Amino acid sequence: MPGKLKVKIVAGRHLPVMDRASDLTDAFVEVKFGNTTFKTDVYLKSLNPQWNSEWFKFEVDDEDLQDEPLQITVLDHDTYSANDAIGKVYIDIDPLLYSEAATVISGWFPIYDTIHGIRGEINVVVKVDLFNDLNRFRQSSCGVKFFCTTSIPKCYRAVVIHGFVEELVVNEDPEYQWIDRIRTPRASNEARQRLISLMSGELQRKIGLKVLEMRGNAVVGYLQCFDLEGESGLVVRAIGTACTLDKLSSPAAFLPACNSPSKEMKESPFNEDPNPNPHSSGPSTPLKNQTYSFSPSKSYSRQSSSSDTDLSLTPKTAPYPQGPGIYLCPSSTPLSCGSLHLKSRLLSESSLTPHHSSLVSPVLRKSVSFSEELFLAASGTGSGSAGKEGGPLKALLRQQTQSALEQRGGSPHRFCRRREFPFLTLTAFPPGLLVHVGGVVSARSVKLLDRIHNPAFVGIMGNTRSYKLLDWNSFNSDEPETRDAWWAEIRQEIKSHAKALGCHAVVGYSESTSICEEVCILSASGTAAVLNPRFLQEGTVEGSLEQRIEENLPVGCGFCHIPYDELNMPFPAHLTYCYNCRKQKVPDVLFTTIDLPTDAVVVGKGCLIQARLCRLKKKAQAEANATAISNLLPFMEYEVHTQLMNKLKLKGMNALFGLRIQITVGENMLMGLASATGVYLAALPTPGGIQIAGKTPNDGSYEQHISHMQKKINDTIAKNKELYEINPPEVSEEIIGSPIPEPRQRSRLLRSQSESSDEVTELDLSHGKKDAFVLEIDDADAMEDVHSLLTDVPPPSGFYSCNTEIMPGINNWTSEIQMFTSVRVVRLSSLNLTNQALNKNFNGLCENLLKSLYFKLRSMTPCCLCHVNFTVSLPEDELIQVTVTAVAITFDKNQALQTTKAHAEKSLQRASADNEEMLQFPLELCSDSLPSHAFPAAKAVTVEKASPMGDGNFRNRSAPPCASSTVGVVKMTPLSFIPGAKITKYLGIINMFFIRETTSLREEGGVSGFLHAFIAEVFAMVRAHVAALGGNAVVSYIMKQCVFMENPSKNQAQCLINVSGDAVVFVRESDLEVMSAQQPAVNCQPSCTGEVTT
Amino acid sequence: MTSELDIFVGNTTLIDEDVYRLWLDGYSVNDAVALRVRSGILEQTGATAGVLQSDTMDHYRTFHMLERLLHAPPKLLHQLIFQIPPSRQALLIERYYTFDEAFVREVLGKKLSKGTKKDLDDISTKTGITLKSCRRQFDNFKRVFKVVEEMRGSLVDNIQQHFLLSDRLARDYAAIVFFANNRFETGKKKLQYLSFGDFAFCAELMIQNWTLGAVDSQMDDMDVDLDKEFLQDLKELKVLVADKDLLDLHKSLVCTVLRGKLSVFSEMETNFKNLSRGLVNVAAKLTHNKDVRDLFVDLVEKFVEPCRSDHWPLSDVRLFLTQYSVSVHSLDGFRHQVLWDRYMGTLRGCLLRLYHD
């Protein structure tokens, strides 16, 4: 029982009038934690009650502290009837549980009601006394820090990056329980909010336990999502990267890293847990299967139904009479376009091995795994080509080669038992970690969520796979493990894809789902990469630097060099020698899901590139629906990729960063939206133009039309080059002595559906033209596509946009930032919908949305929209919802130009310099970042925890409720940093889930008014929580879900929003200077200065 | 493809001053869009009409949500829902409470009741100000009036504290409240030449000198009501015109000093008794509420119009009024010097302000 939670209710303000007669309210407060409830006195007849309660004390164990939210309910006392609820506040006390975060939560919280929204505010003070010794405390998962930020947080240093952690928790959705028929919408919403809050807490705790087993102390890039599966339940899942973080460069601080956790776990499961909980699935990966997706301790178990679910998988393979090669052209002509795009490659390869189908996992999949032979080849050559990296590579991989082979051996048993994924959710890396980047790897699979158990069906399965299915089912029948197995499968696929690219790791990894009725698409994607193993094992950054020198990697272009062997390329690609170092081979185009590495040499500026696509689909039920979807998926993915490639060429660029492809499923259509930031990497070759080929060369006017189009395209490319300042330094073409890469594999782009062998030869005629990208116009469809390429309007002058953290080519940010969320829902006219019309509509929707954003933010120019994050959902037939969250950051135009130039020159020089200079570069970075945090960090750890003075100081600042007349500003940003400021402290993770419902939609201003108010309220609640923690900003903010449902005829609407981010304290750099010159400024940096002065 | 829902929410609430003005002026979204198009914004920014429509709708929605808070400006400062920089908050409040000259002239001195609210239709047609804007302005007057009506202390300070208005605007509101409370008639035809500024000037002088607060700011009563005792006492001034000797003496004192200094001396001399009677009778009548209401009508009728018909220049009016007030001190038989000064000091200021074309 390691904790005492103390809560004090101070006052309320702006309460709503609950008593019509007196126009006043008799308010009191219930404080609930776990099963204990306290009440304040009733404060009669006031809209601004001053309760000033005693300290309510809850004695709780750490599991509850982590799982449960503190629930504060404000009520209106009524003598004769039931007390009316005014609203609630849920406070996640997790930030109080780790030593370096907040010490007290104190401030004004909006009182929230799911029907009425925010109704006044309440001032609360919360503290936690942990009266166990620190050592013991550390053994529970309480001490693990969580960060949403997908890079190493600014005031920390990564000692070891342990790897991937994941967990999921399943429960029944209260909205679908029988009781929901009789309870009020409010009760139902609150049950749901509370449940998700509980599940998030539980999930976080379990992940924490895993991290502790890996000997880590933090999770970075923590991404938690929930899937509303409707009838079949509610899944909360999370992924992250376990790390050992250190605030100082003291080598004593880190624990001896355990390199093979799975082994250790087998030896000593649980033995470090002071409080072994048989239900907590965390500690042992192998055991996880049996216990994990439900939490019996919380009595939400739903065993029977979920075992139904997995059995229902069986029918889904039936629609596959053949191997997956059928999807694209039957000829084995490579469809790959020179990029490392995965899907097309996969398909062409898998078609080589018909027997392979027996290995296909017994569920619907869009892409198929490699054949065994190929797999072996890939791994073999991978280590061969990497020559000097062979050693570390082996050490790094934590037996992954072996396990991969085992898994591919076809036994689902193994598949489930070993679960080691070399994935990182990080998108930016400490210098030296990222060695090579292979390309984007992704996998999708279509699943049915229905829970009908139909054993008879299994018997009917007569094809080659039936035994597998039976096997699978019998294996799973008594384990409610479905969801976890699904993800494991996908991750396995991702892992093998990376392997084929000669990479042993996947970075920038993320997972997502799209659910419509009972069909669910699971997606995962990441970037295959080769990492420097030193970071992943014991050893310090210093150590890894040495390693780097040995490896002699050129800075600024190293990551572009291919990790795979050029003679045994997994797919055809066009390789050249690196334009930067001239030593290694690079591909002609590079796609990644990560941020642009800081040391990358870029020419000009970057820009947001989007591919948008709709596909109609027949309405269908269950399996038929799933089949239809999985049949469509490869085409969509192919076309999305084609669009991306074309648009990239059109921009005159050669690499994509932050690529995120979202496929959304609706009742009668599928939508694909890919966003990425295009850049021109100096290391990669200049992209060729786009060439249009007509299909019927005899027609004169047609010819003319084609040439007209060609001209337009060429003009656009030229214009874009000018716009984005892409003037690659004249690379004295093909450096003297550098051999031109041998068999020049032409990269082509074909329209697969209509392709015939004639056309292939026809195209080959143009083989001689260097680098030309051929768009063949053979039908109206293709024409449409070319047109749509050209309709993308560049942002107005003064605006840039990207979906990565920073805009390549701009580095002189000024301090003004504006984070925003914009939502649009459009109704398509249901008449004669065609794919083209849909595409056009969707394109128009996205373009208009962007135009609106530019218009709205015009006063901020010159500025850049960073981290532009589009989400598409299809809430109903004919309804498309697009949600965008981004941040606009101003920059200084004049200075920016100069510095970029200087920067580019500098890095170019650096790249060509010798080893010694390379060593300096990362060192510079280190010394740059260290002093900033070393000072507060040193004291924060030791003093803050022990000294009550720290608390006192803190409280003084925020306790006097009405002292300051205005509300403190809290910045929000999806980025991990705040321009012009230094983050001095991370206060903990913010992870909030809200439901809002209305039965008076018209009165609240219709759907727009309703959602506008709700989003504003969500922002307000996030800000209030951050302010109460003592912070002044949220970084890495993300709106993970915004589910909106309306029923205008009933005048009703409901919306669910899930947001997360990291609460931080930042200090303006200008203030920092002032501070160092004068005395510590108390107002800006309350907590840190507090500790420093004590 | 129709837009069902279209919103933009910033962490810092975006306020477009131009759109705010259009909203305050009561234009519908469509009218506002049309006006914005006419302003040439599309050419400047390269936006489309659709974008403009969406932007305008969005701002209107935000303003609509803010309106509830603007009704009690301190709430705007303390609320957590909209993060707005202080300078913008001030701008929002100030603009929201700013009123149109044409409108205020129509309702100044009227009872701020439902009855008047019904007349807003006519006012709207007459002034060309949209009905929506009229309603907002009227409701602002009424709201401020209700809040400060019963309050102690300085009227201007109270308004500033509860509505966070600029000094200048708070003074204007003080005048509006003062006029509404005392129901001064301002709508008569002969008063049409007067601007709101004229009345506000007079109101300020009267608040400073003629209310209870003027005597003792610690008193229970407040700035809104005239000092009843003072009004009662004003009857005593009647002696100045009732006593013929006193009146003659007063006249001779004034004439002696002003001889040769006024371009309209002879007119003054002939009119002196009429003017003096007018001014003193106005004072003596102020015990009746009805006559208080007609104060400005009386002043214009009894003083401004006669002088104007004789083409007195303003400088002569000033000289005359100064001398007229000062000479009373030399009247030995007159004992109410203090009262006279309290009355005439204010009245002199008012008359000078009212005296124009």
Side-chain angles (χ1 to χ4, degrees):
Chain A
M1 200 181 66
K4 188 189 268 182
L5 173 68
K6 301 196 293 178
V7 184
K8 185 185 178 94
I9 306 295
V10 182
R13 68 182 181 195
H14 305 152
L15 294 189
V17 169
M18 298 300 282
D19 180 3
R20 287 282 154 113
S22 65
D23 267 2
L24 289 168
T25 296
D26 304 325
F28 71 100
V29 182
E30 271 181 15
V31 185
K32 189 175 175 199
F33 190 82
N35 295 319
T36 319
T37 307
F38 292 101
K39 282 183 192 174
T40 65
D41 297 332
V42 177
Y43 195 92
L44 289 171
K45 301 202 184 306
S46 172
L47 299 182
N48 301 293
Q50 303 290 320
W51 291 289
N52 234 326
S53 77
E54 57 185 302
W55 285 99
F56 299 123
K57 297 185 183 101
F58 301 87
E59 295 184 343
V60 277
D61 60 23
D62 55 347
E63 192 187 315
D64 285 343
L65 277 176
Q66 283 193 286
D67 289 3
E68 297 267 351
L70 175 67
Q71 183 180 321
I72 293 167
T73 314
V74 186
L75 299 112
D76 177 52
H77 176 75
D78 203 325
T79 321
Y80 303 108
S81 59
N83 298 325
D84 294 324
I86 295 173
K88 287 190 173 182
V89 179
Y90 291 98
I91 301 176
D92 179 11
I93 48 165
D94 211 52
L96 295 179
L97 302 181
Y98 36 95
S99 49
E100 287 146 44
T103 51
V104 65
I105 300 176
S106 163
W108 288 100
F109 291 88
I111 302 168
Y112 181 73
D113 179 71
T114 59
I115 306 293
H116 293 104
I118 290 179
R119 307 171 95 189
E121 289 121 41
I122 185 169
N123 192 282
V124 181
V125 186
V126 185
K127 284 185 180 185
V128 173
D129 285 347
L130 294 154
F131 39 71
N132 277 21
D133 58 325
L134 268 178
N135 196 25
R136 175 127 185 251
F137 164 53
R138 281 224 175 110
Q139 302 300 314
S140 85
S141 94
C142 275
V144 177
K145 292 182 281 286
F146 285 80
F147 300 93
C148 293
T149 302
T150 56
S151 55
I152 300 304
K154 295 285 181 289
C155 36
Y156 291 90
R157 195 182 61 111
V159 180
V160 189
I161 295 170
H162 299 281
F164 188 61
V165 280
E166 46 78 31
E167 186 65 275
L168 61 74
V169 182
V170 183
N171 212 312
E172 209 166 355
D173 191 338
E175 187 101 338
Y176 293 88
Q177 283 164 343
W178 67 268
I179 195 170
D180 207 59
R181 288 177 204 168
I182 52 168
R183 66 180 164 194
T184 62
R186 176 182 283 118
S188 161
N189 291 340
E190 279 171 5
R192 236 172 155 190
Q193 282 191 171
R194 194 180 129 73
L195 178 67
I196 289 196
S197 187
L198 261 172
M199 288 168 78
S200 309
E202 184 189 339
L203 195 67
Q204 216 168 311
R205 178 172 55 79
K206 287 181 171 178
I207 292 231
L209 283 168
K210 288 189 173 179
V211 171
L212 288 175
E213 274 150 30
M214 295 165 108
R215 301 288 178 93
N217 64 6
V219 181
V220 180
Y222 184 69
L223 178 70
Q224 184 208 288
C225 293
F226 64 85
D227 302 328
L228 297 171
E229 294 186 350
E231 290 279 321
S232 67
L234 202 156
V235 179
V236 184
R237 56 192 164 78
I239 55 174
T241 306
C243 296
T244 301
L245 296 185
D246 193 358
K247 278 202 124 181
L248 272 175
S249 50
S250 65
F254 77 90
L255 303 156
C258 165
N259 216 11
S260 121
S262 54
K263 197 182 91 207
E264 189 200 77
M265 274 179 263
K266 270 172 229 148
E267 286 160 10
S268 58
F270 293 120
N271 67 351
E272 287 174 350
D273 192 341
N275 217 354
N277 174 4
H279 299 308
S280 92
S281 63
S284 142
T285 320
L287 279 179
K288 198 167 59 178
N289 283 336
Q290 279 96 47
T291 50
Y292 120 120
S293 55
F294 295 90
S295 52
S297 63
K298 300 276 173 230
S299 76
Y300 291 120
S301 178
R302 220 197 59 207
Q303 309 260 350
S304 59
S305 58
S306 81
S307 60
D308 289 349
T309 323
D310 40 78
L311 281 177
S312 69
L313 294 172
T314 47
K316 278 159 249 158
T317 37
Y320 283 97
Q322 284 153 38
I326 53 162
Y327 292 133
L328 285 183
C329 55
S331 74
S332 59
T333 318
L335 288 166
S336 175
C337 324
S339 87
L340 313 178
H341 183 61
L342 177 105
K343 194 205 60 58
S344 45
R345 174 167 41 80
L346 266 179
L347 289 170
S348 55
E349 276 157 10
S350 51
S351 63
L352 300 172
T353 51
H355 85 271
H356 175 75
S357 56
S358 64
L359 290 176
V360 175
S361 30
V363 277
L364 290 183
R365 310 275 288 278
K366 155 241 124 203
S367 58
V368 218
S369 3
F370 291 91
S371 70
E372 242 169 304
E373 299 91 320
L374 218 137
F375 195 79
L376 276 167
S379 62
T381 54
S383 50
S385 76
K388 45 203 179 243
E389 292 150 22
L393 212 154
K394 231 183 286 164
L396 201 215
L397 273 199
R398 301 185 184 166
Q399 41 20 35
Q400 69 123 358
T401 317
Q402 175 207 358
S403 66
L405 289 176
E406 275 171 14
Q407 283 148 20
R408 281 301 138 190
S411 159
H413 295 249
R414 284 173 200 253
F415 187 16
C416 293
R417 230 189 301 140
R418 251 248 177 100
R419 224 180 276 258
E420 261 305 300
F421 298 108
F423 298 169
L424 300 183
T425 53
L426 303 180
T427 59
F429 311 91
L433 176 61
L434 191 66
V435 180
H436 296 307
V437 167
V440 170
V441 286
S442 74
R444 286 179 212 284
S445 105
V446 182
K447 302 288 185 188
L448 267 189
L449 297 171
D450 69 353
R451 51 208 253 179
I452 302 145
H453 178 195
N454 192 350
F457 209 89
V458 181
I460 300 167
M461 303 296 294
N463 63 27
T464 45
R465 272 157 293 170
S466 62
Y467 76 95
K468 288 267 174 219
L469 290 171
L470 281 168
D471 193 7
W472 174 265
N473 288 326
S474 59
F475 179 73
N476 271 307
S477 57
D478 45 2
E479 283 174 28
E481 268 294 288
T482 324
R483 304 297 185 289
D484 199 44
W486 288 356
W487 286 111
E489 211 173 77
I490 288 208
R491 288 169 193 146
Q492 198 55 51
E493 199 170 312
I494 290 276
K495 186 170 153 184
S496 54
H497 293 341
K499 187 97 191 139
L501 287 171
C503 296
H504 54 74
V506 175
V507 294
Y509 179 75
S510 66
E511 296 175 346
S512 62
T513 57
S514 171
I515 298 172
C516 177
E517 303 287 313
E518 51 198 356
V519 174
C520 173
I521 302 182
L522 311 184
S523 310
S525 73
T527 304
V530 175
L531 301 180
N532 189 323
R534 288 294 162 141
F535 277 94
L536 312 174
Q537 301 167 10
E538 64 220 273
T540 59
V541 182
E542 285 80 17
S544 77
L545 282 179
E546 287 160 30
Q547 178 72 20
R548 284 194 55 203
I549 301 160
E550 284 166 31
E551 285 177 15
N552 191 6
L553 280 173
V555 176
C557 62
F559 73 94
C560 306
H561 301 161
I562 51 162
Y564 39 87
D565 177 34
E566 66 177 287
L567 297 173
N568 262 311
M569 277 192 294
F571 51 88
H574 180 183
L575 300 180
T576 47
Y577 277 101
C578 174
Y579 276 55
N580 199 351
C581 67
R582 301 283 163 189
K583 286 174 189 151
Q584 306 268 342
K585 292 279 176 80
V586 293
D588 58 347
V589 179
L590 187 62
F591 283 16
T592 74
T593 58
I594 56 171
D595 278 330
L596 184 70
T598 44
D599 58 348
V601 184
V602 168
V603 177
K605 295 193 167 64
C607 74
L608 180 71
I609 290 179
Q610 285 195 320
R612 303 152 187 148
L613 186 67
C614 300
R615 278 296 183 117
L616 284 171
K617 162 184 92 65
K618 284 209 177 66
K619 276 194 191 181
Q621 292 300 308
E623 293 98 61
N625 195 16
T627 313
I629 292 169
S630 48
N631 283 340
L632 272 174
L633 277 177
F635 293 106
M636 296 206 50
E637 206 134 4
Y638 175 77
E639 266 185 59
V640 162
H641 178 257
T642 307
Q643 259 191 48
L644 279 176
M645 194 61 114
N646 286 337
K647 288 188 175 176
L648 185 67
K649 298 259 173 195
L650 209 56
K651 295 277 194 293
M653 298 175 184
N654 59 17
L656 287 181
F657 286 89
L659 176 64
R660 190 167 157 264
I661 303 177
Q662 197 197 351
I663 304 265
T664 310
V665 56
E667 293 241 313
N668 56 353
M669 62 177 113
L670 284 175
M671 310 278 274
L673 179 66
S675 307
T677 301
V679 293
Y680 186 104
L681 285 177
L684 266 48
T686 316
I690 297 178
Q691 215 195 357
I692 295 191
K695 196 189 174 192
T696 45
N698 303 328
D699 191 341
S701 66
Y702 190 73
E703 198 93 306
Q704 209 178 357
H705 182 71
I706 293 287
S707 70
H708 178 67
M709 295 279 284
Q710 181 71 57
K711 190 172 170 298
K712 258 173 103 176
I713 287 184
N714 292 345
D715 288 352
T716 313
I717 294 178
K719 224 185 286 166
N720 280 329
K721 280 190 174 174
E722 198 178 317
L723 182 63
Y724 299 107
E725 296 157 27
I726 299 171
N727 321 301
E730 278 310 316
V731 192
S732 53
E733 210 32 70
E734 318 300 345
I735 276 193
I736 320 99
S738 156
I740 292 168
E742 17 24 285
R744 193 170 269 249
Q745 181 81 44
R746 276 203 27 75
S747 55
R748 285 175 302 152
L749 192 141
L750 306 173
R751 297 202 55 84
S752 55
Q753 292 95 323
S754 55
E755 185 185 348
S756 75
S757 54
D758 300 334
E759 282 160 15
V760 172
T761 50
E762 191 180 44
L763 277 170
D764 280 348
L765 293 177
S766 64
H767 194 281
K769 285 177 194 162
K770 179 181 174 259
D771 282 343
F773 212 71
V774 181
L775 274 186
E776 191 192 347
I777 300 187
D778 49 3
D779 54 11
D781 242 28
M783 197 60 115
E784 240 357 270
D785 288 355
V786 175
H787 273 299
S788 70
L789 274 183
L790 294 166
T791 51
D792 277 13
V793 206
S797 75
F799 272 107
Y800 292 93
S801 55
C802 63
N803 76 332
T804 45
E805 283 253 307
I806 45 161
M807 175 71 177
I810 299 180
N811 43 22
N812 195 272
W813 304 110
T814 45
S815 58
E816 199 186 336
I817 65 169
Q818 166 71 293
M819 188 281 296
F820 59 84
T821 293
S822 186
V823 185
R824 276 197 190 181
V825 177
V826 293
R827 185 176 292 281
L828 303 161
S829 50
S830 54
L831 295 166
N832 54 46
L833 270 183
T834 59
N835 277 334
Q836 284 101 315
L838 260 178
N839 278 336
K840 212 170 162 190
N841 277 332
F842 185 38
N843 241 324
L845 170 60
C846 294
E847 284 292 318
N848 280 331
L849 189 44
L850 281 171
K851 273 186 212 155
S852 271
L853 298 181
Y854 295 137
F855 182 76
K856 283 212 174 280
L857 300 163
R858 64 191 184 284
S859 64
M860 286 180 80
T861 51
C863 85
C864 178
L865 300 188
C866 292
H867 215 288
V868 178
N869 186 7
F870 273 70
T871 322
V872 185
S873 53
L874 299 162
E876 278 174 50
D877 283 19
E878 283 119 35
L879 280 190
I880 306 179
Q881 178 191 330
V882 177
T883 310
V884 188
T885 299
V887 62
I889 310 182
T890 54
F891 62 91
D892 188 330
K893 205 166 191 178
N894 303 321
Q895 271 179 316
L897 284 172
Q898 291 164 3
T899 42
T900 41
K901 217 179 267 173
H903 180 76
E905 277 164 20
K906 214 168 125 195
S907 32
L908 274 172
Q909 285 167 5
R910 191 181 288 136
S912 60
D914 58 355
N915 290 354
E916 220 140 17
E917 283 211 30
M918 277 175 241
L919 169 64
Q920 270 168 8
F921 179 51
L923 279 180
E924 267 168 37
L925 279 183
C926 284
S927 59
D928 212 44
S929 54
L930 275 178
S932 63
H933 54 69
F935 179 52
K939 306 253 176 172
V941 186
T942 50
V943 183
E944 198 184 330
K945 203 69 226 171
S947 141
M949 286 287 282
D951 285 8
N953 238 326
F954 203 88
R955 193 141 34 88
N956 281 345
R957 192 191 59 85
S958 49
C962 301
S964 63
S965 61
T966 44
V967 182
V969 171
V970 175
K971 301 223 173 207
M972 292 168 76
T973 172
L975 307 178
S976 64
F977 67 97
I978 292 164
K982 271 216 155 80
I983 293 171
T984 54
K985 197 175 183 189
Y986 281 80
L987 299 165
I989 197 167
I990 297 280
N991 185 10
M992 298 169 93
F993 171 79
F994 299 104
I995 302 177
R996 180 87 153 79
E997 188 167 349
T998 186
T999 48
S1000 50
L1001 188 58
R1002 272 187 297 278
E1003 295 76 358
E1004 293 194 33
V1007 285
S1008 294
F1010 170 72
L1011 195 61
H1012 191 145
F1014 182 38
I1015 291 179
E1017 285 174 342
V1018 169
F1019 286 2
M1021 288 184 276
V1022 170
R1023 288 193 301 257
H1025 276 77
V1026 172
L1029 287 169
N1032 54 8
V1034 190
V1035 296
S1036 300
Y1037 167 81
I1038 175 173
M1039 182 176 282
K1040 288 176 293 191
Q1041 226 127 359
C1042 178
V1043 186
F1044 178 72
M1045 288 155 287
E1046 56 169 323
N1047 190 344
S1049 58
K1050 281 187 173 172
N1051 205 17
Q1052 288 175 341
Q1054 191 192 35
C1055 186
L1056 297 83
I1057 287 183
N1058 182 209
V1059 295
S1060 66
D1062 294 326
V1064 299
V1065 178
F1066 75 86
V1067 184
R1068 289 241 158 270
E1069 262 153 20
S1070 50
D1071 293 347
L1072 266 180
E1073 285 155 25
V1074 174
M1075 263 169 63
S1076 56
Q1078 302 165 0
Q1079 62 207 22
V1082 187
N1083 54 339
C1084 310
Q1085 205 191 356
S1087 39
C1088 287
T1089 42
E1091 289 132 25
V1092 171
T1093 45
T1094 44
Chain B
M1 191 173 74
T2 48
S3 225
E4 289 266 305
L5 186 158
D6 179 2
I7 57 161
F8 175 99
V9 191
N11 183 37
T12 304
T13 307
L14 282 183
I15 309 287
D16 186 310
E17 288 183 41
D18 298 334
V19 185
Y20 189 47
R21 203 180 303 261
L22 292 168
W23 178 74
L24 289 175
D25 287 344
Y27 291 106
S28 69
V29 173
N30 289 337
D31 291 349
V33 170
L35 284 165
R36 292 183 84 186
V37 169
R38 233 172 286 159
S39 77
I41 196 166
L42 294 186
E43 290 75 25
Q44 285 165 33
T45 57
T48 62
V51 165
L52 203 60
Q53 171 90 19
S54 140
D55 179 67
T56 312
M57 287 275 278
D58 219 59
H59 283 300
Y60 266 54
R61 207 164 32 239
T62 309
F63 298 143
H64 182 74
M65 284 190 262
L66 285 170
E67 191 165 20
R68 189 177 53 84
L69 298 162
L70 284 165
H71 290 167
K75 265 194 191 165
L76 184 70
L77 263 65
H78 286 109
Q79 55 84 31
L80 303 175
I81 298 177
F82 302 97
Q83 186 160 276
I84 305 171
S87 63
R88 287 268 140 171
Q89 287 179 343
L91 176 130
L92 282 173
I93 297 166
E94 192 77 3
R95 290 266 176 86
Y96 189 79
Y97 282 91
T98 302
F99 47 82
D100 289 309
E101 168 84 22
F103 177 79
V104 74
R105 276 299 278 111
E106 293 296 323
V107 294
L108 190 66
K110 283 191 182 146
K111 196 174 173 193
L112 299 174
S113 64
K114 282 210 175 105
T116 315
K117 200 167 179 179
K118 279 184 191 144
D119 301 337
L120 291 179
D121 275 337
D122 300 337
I123 296 178
S124 168
T125 346
K126 190 177 163 195
T127 57
I129 298 166
T130 60
L131 183 60
K132 225 177 145 195
S133 179
C134 288
R135 289 222 178 96
R136 171 182 60 85
Q137 299 182 39
F138 182 81
D139 289 342
N140 283 345
F141 294 167
K142 197 170 158 184
R143 196 175 316 111
V144 174
F145 181 84
K146 283 220 156 175
V147 168
V148 299
E149 188 186 19
E150 303 287 323
M151 254 176 216
R152 296 182 194 184
S154 154
L155 184 56
V156 177
D157 288 355
N158 284 339
I159 292 172
Q160 250 179 323
Q161 196 189 332
H162 286 89
F163 292 93
L164 311 171
L165 303 178
S166 68
D167 187 58
R168 152 117 210 90
L169 196 55
R171 280 167 198 280
D172 285 350
Y173 267 91
I176 292 164
V177 169
F178 185 72
F179 267 66
N181 190 54
N182 293 291
R183 311 270 300 280
F184 291 116
E185 173 63 55
T186 64
K188 281 267 167 62
K189 205 170 178 191
K190 51 182 60 160
L191 297 182
Q192 284 309 314
Y193 78 100
L194 293 169
S195 71
F196 170 72
D198 297 334
F199 288 116
F201 180 84
C202 300
E204 199 170 340
L205 282 179
M206 286 153 82
I207 292 169
Q208 275 165 15
N209 299 300
W210 288 3
T211 59
L212 263 178
V215 187
D216 181 359
S217 55
Q218 303 309 308
M219 280 286 287
D220 257 19
D221 221 321
M222 49 254 146
D223 274 0
V224 245
D225 290 318
L226 291 169
D227 185 348
K228 286 270 150 56
E229 222 170 296
F230 163 68
L231 296 183
Q232 283 293 333
D233 293 347
L234 283 177
K235 274 193 199 153
E236 308 290 341
L237 300 180
K238 226 172 172 176
V239 71
L240 281 175
V241 288
D243 184 332
K244 200 163 178 313
D245 295 345
L246 217 52
L247 183 59
D248 285 339
L249 186 58
H250 190 188
K251 183 181 171 184
S252 68
L253 281 171
V254 173
C255 288
T256 321
V257 177
L258 292 182
R259 193 179 303 275
K261 290 185 181 162
L262 293 188
S263 60
V264 289
F265 181 75
S266 56
E267 290 89 339
M268 187 276 282
E269 201 168 19
T270 39
N271 263 336
F272 182 87
K273 286 188 177 169
N274 274 338
L275 292 175
S276 184
R277 224 172 261 137
L279 294 177
V280 172
N281 281 337
V282 166
K285 283 201 302 183
L286 287 179
T287 39
H288 304 290
N289 275 341
K290 162 131 197 348
D291 293 312
V292 170
R293 283 182 209 170
D294 283 338
L295 176 69
F296 290 93
V297 182
D298 290 343
L299 289 179
V300 169
E301 260 175 19
K302 300 280 158 55
F303 185 86
V304 175
E305 284 184 342
C307 296
R308 203 160 40 190
S309 67
D310 287 342
H311 306 290
W312 291 36
L314 183 62
S315 53
D316 286 3
V317 177
R318 183 174 292 116
L319 267 175
F320 167 75
L321 283 174
T322 313
Q323 209 45 52
Y324 177 74
S325 332
V326 171
S327 327
V328 171
H329 297 287
S330 316
L331 296 174
D332 289 339
F334 187 67
R335 286 175 292 121
H336 307 286
Q337 304 291 356
V338 179
L339 186 67
W340 173 254
D341 282 349
R342 187 174 175 192
Y343 173 66
M344 241 357 251
T346 303
L347 205 66
R348 181 182 159 267
C350 292
L351 287 172
L352 287 174
R353 177 79 195 218
L354 299 180
Y355 190 78
H356 61 81
D357 292 328

